[in-house]
Amino acid sequence: MDVSSFMDGLSIALEPVNIMWIVIGGFLGTVVGMLPGLGPATAVAVLIPITFSMNPVSAIILMAAIYYGAMYGGSRSSILLNTPGDGSAIAATFDGYPMAQKGQAGPALAISAVASFIGGIIAVIGFVFLAVPLANFALKFGPAEYFLLMLLTLSAIVALSIGKMVKGFLAMMIGLALATVGIDTQTGVYRFTMGLPHFSDGIDFLIVIIGVYAIGEVLYNFLNIDQQKKEKKKVGKVWFTKDQWKRSKWPILRSGPIGFLIGVLPGAGGTIASMIGYTTQKQISKNPEEYGKGAVEGLAAPESSNNAASVGAMIPLLTMGIPGSGTTAVMLGALIMLGLRPGPLLFEQQPDTVWALINSMFIGNIALVIINILLVGVLVKILDTPAKVLYPIIVLLAFIGTYTLSYSTIDFFLLLVFGIFGLFLKVLDFPIAPLVLALIVGAEMEQNFRMAVLSSNGSLGIFFSSGVSITLLVLTILSLFYPLIIKLVKKRNDLEEDQMSKSS
């Protein structure tokens, strides 16, 4: 690390105008992250025309602040409404929403903000020291490695469906089937489009997320709206207890580096990072049965991971010119139009720009944790809104978010279809996460598999041809059998305890 360049970047980041853009971008990102269906990519895309009149350094600082600000905001609606603002916030619903239902919305929002802050800081420190080495490692990932990484993610999330793994597998298969809709990018064949041009690009996973989570949740709760009226939800203290912090600190510190490393891999993104952060923490937990019922660790881990991933995604963007996520893909186009050419030469030719961005991330994460904790008192009041008022608002936001995706009324019908489908999934007790994750990674998973097989002339040996591939395969197998192993070990321990109690 060049110390002089680092200090020059720090002085640029501390300029009043750039601090202003950091705060504005972070706040906008938080708000946009809360709104179902919008997400950071949409926010950055909408603001691109504004950045043309800005200094390129200020522009990239603003866009990055929106990006990681949305990681903070996405969990707000996940915790309060069980409606993820973006794909990376899905894991926050698993334990965040149950905490809110228990009257712990305040602690849940506070711990998610602190976890995002720590995960972001860990990732920025990693960015400073590991940017170039990690970018070189990511280049070793070919189609076979990417396919196995996605397979590992899917197997891990299905394995989490303890007690209903068959339902989790079926949900995953439905998600993979939905991912095949659209034009086959390798052959140009139209698949399952029903003759509608709108389906040529496939089904937008955000519509499915909004449908099964937002509309499905509203329909499910509407069935019991009279009973809900009698319930009095308690928000709880707007901070976390010492015990909650004690349970959360190590999951946060473990998940931050995991999210950062996954974020460096182009295409992996915050969704995979948060899921792996959650599954890893659950699998090593002494009390995995508490997860999904309001375990604070189950909220802290994915929140740390997804924010760290947003920082990690900047590494392939800046060092190789390869977008690590949908948002950084939008940013790549904006940077090129601003005269910045991301790639290895950027660190040599414009080091001040890179180090100003890195330092702005330190400042931005500090600003965002303050903003999000100060806003907790306002956000938790959403829970006090009467159900008959709250649910129409959620539906309205869902339709607005859906319409902004492609400005097509066909998406409204898709939203309703997946909303009803989400209702049936909840009634039949099917896990939703495997379906959504499979839909998100399905298309890329298929293409990487086919490219890997084609490059090896039809031989499946390519999936065993590198140390990375073998490691991913071993982890995939372990993730599937881990719940069974844990169950057997626990059963054995219970038998030993029974025998000891009888002998005594």
Side-chain angles (χ1 to χ4, degrees), residues 63-83:
M63 289 186 286
I66 292 172
Y67 187 17
Y68 55 80
M71 298 300 105
Y72 281 81
S75 64
R76 311 292 97 176
S77 53
S78 293
I79 293 167
L80 298 177
L81 306 174
N82 200 32
T83 304

Side-chain angles (χ1 to χ4, degrees), residues 35-38 42 210 215 392-408 411-412 415:
L35 300 175
L38 294 184
T42 304
I210 299 169
I215 305 299
I393 293 174
I394 296 174
V395 171
L396 177 63
L397 291 175
F399 273 88
I400 291 173
T402 299
Y403 187 68
T404 58
L405 296 175
S406 60
Y407 301 100
S408 172
D411 289 341
F412 288 161
L415 183 66

Side-chain angles (χ1 to χ4, degrees), residues 326-348:
T327 307
T328 51
V330 177
M331 291 175 65
L332 176 62
L335 292 176
I336 292 173
M337 285 187 281
L338 289 166
L340 293 173
R341 181 67 63 174
L345 295 178
L346 185 64
F347 283 80
E348 296 179 10

Side-chain angles (χ1 to χ4, degrees), residues 58-111:
S58 297
I60 191 173
I61 285 174
L62 171 64
M63 289 186 286
I66 292 172
Y67 187 17
Y68 55 80
M71 298 300 105
Y72 281 81
S75 64
R76 311 292 97 176
S77 53
S78 293
I79 293 167
L80 298 177
L81 306 174
N82 200 32
T83 304
D86 195 49
S88 60
I90 292 172
T93 64
F94 299 162
D95 286 281
Y97 186 62
M99 284 183 71
Q101 289 181 310
K102 292 179 180 179
Q104 298 177 1
L109 290 166
I111 200 69

Side-chain angles (χ1 to χ4, degrees), residues 45-365:
V46 169
L47 289 174
I48 283 178
I50 298 174
T51 62
F52 292 157
S53 60
M54 294 172 58
N55 179 292
V57 177
S58 297
I60 191 173
I61 285 174
L62 171 64
M63 289 186 286
I66 292 172
Y67 187 17
Y68 55 80
M71 298 300 105
Y72 281 81
S75 64
R76 311 292 97 176
S77 53
S78 293
I79 293 167
L80 298 177
L81 306 174
N82 200 32
T83 304
D86 195 49
S88 60
I90 292 172
T93 64
F94 299 162
D95 286 281
Y97 186 62
M99 284 183 71
Q101 289 181 310
K102 292 179 180 179
Q104 298 177 1
L109 290 166
I111 200 69
S112 70
V114 171
S116 293
F117 167 71
I118 296 174
I121 294 298
I122 290 172
V124 176
I125 293 171
F127 197 131
V128 170
F129 293 102
L130 302 175
V132 176
L134 281 174
N136 291 334
F137 174 72
L139 284 172
K140 296 180 181 178
F141 270 61
E145 287 78 12
Y146 277 117
F147 169 76
L148 292 172
L149 174 65
M150 295 172 189
L151 184 64
L152 169 61
T153 307
L154 289 176
S155 66
I157 197 64
V158 169
L160 279 180
S161 307
I162 297 174
K164 44 186 177 182
M165 282 188 65
V166 174
K167 290 183 176 180
F169 180 77
L170 288 173
M172 181 195 74
M173 295 304 294
I174 293 171
L176 290 175
L178 290 172
T180 62
V181 175
I183 298 177
D184 184 342
T185 55
Q186 292 192 19
T187 63
V189 174
Y190 285 78
R191 302 186 301 188
F192 312 114
T193 60
M194 297 177 287
L196 296 174
H198 185 78
F199 290 143
S200 298
D201 295 327
I203 298 173
D204 195 315
F205 74 86
L206 285 174
I207 297 174
V208 180
I209 289 176
I210 299 169
V212 298
Y213 278 102
I215 305 299
E217 182 71 21
V218 168
L219 293 175
Y220 183 77
N221 284 290
F222 184 76
L223 297 177
N224 305 301
I225 195 167
D226 293 329
Q227 289 86 341
Q228 289 183 5
K229 184 179 179 181
K230 299 174 184 177
E231 297 176 5
K232 179 65 177 178
K233 291 183 179 179
K234 295 181 180 179
V235 167
K237 185 180 179 182
V238 187
W239 193 244
F240 43 83
T241 64
K242 288 183 179 180
D243 179 63
Q244 287 173 326
W245 170 245
K246 185 178 179 181
R247 292 172 58 184
S248 301
K249 62 181 180 180
W250 290 114
I252 291 171
L253 293 173
R254 278 192 294 265
S255 300
I258 291 173
F260 173 65
L261 292 172
I262 292 171
V264 171
L265 303 174
T271 304
I272 293 177
S274 61
M275 290 295 186
I276 290 181
Y278 183 84
T279 55
T280 302
Q281 182 55 39
K282 182 174 181 179
Q283 289 178 346
I284 66 175
S285 173
K286 295 179 181 178
N287 304 298
E289 68 280 356
E290 294 181 4
Y291 283 67
K293 300 176 182 177
V296 69
E297 308 97 305
L299 173 63
E303 284 300 283
S304 177
S305 285
N306 71 8
N307 200 40
S310 68
V311 177
M314 302 295 289
I315 289 180
L317 172 68
L318 296 176
T319 60
M320 298 181 289
I322 298 173
S325 67
T327 307
T328 51
V330 177
M331 291 175 65
L332 176 62
L335 292 176
I336 292 173
M337 285 187 281
L338 289 166
L340 293 173
R341 181 67 63 174
L345 295 178
L346 185 64
F347 283 80
E348 296 179 10
Q349 297 175 348
Q350 295 175 296
D352 290 353
T353 300
V354 177
W355 290 109
L357 172 63
I358 293 171
N359 280 286
S360 76
M361 291 180 182
F362 279 112
I363 301 167
N365 275 283

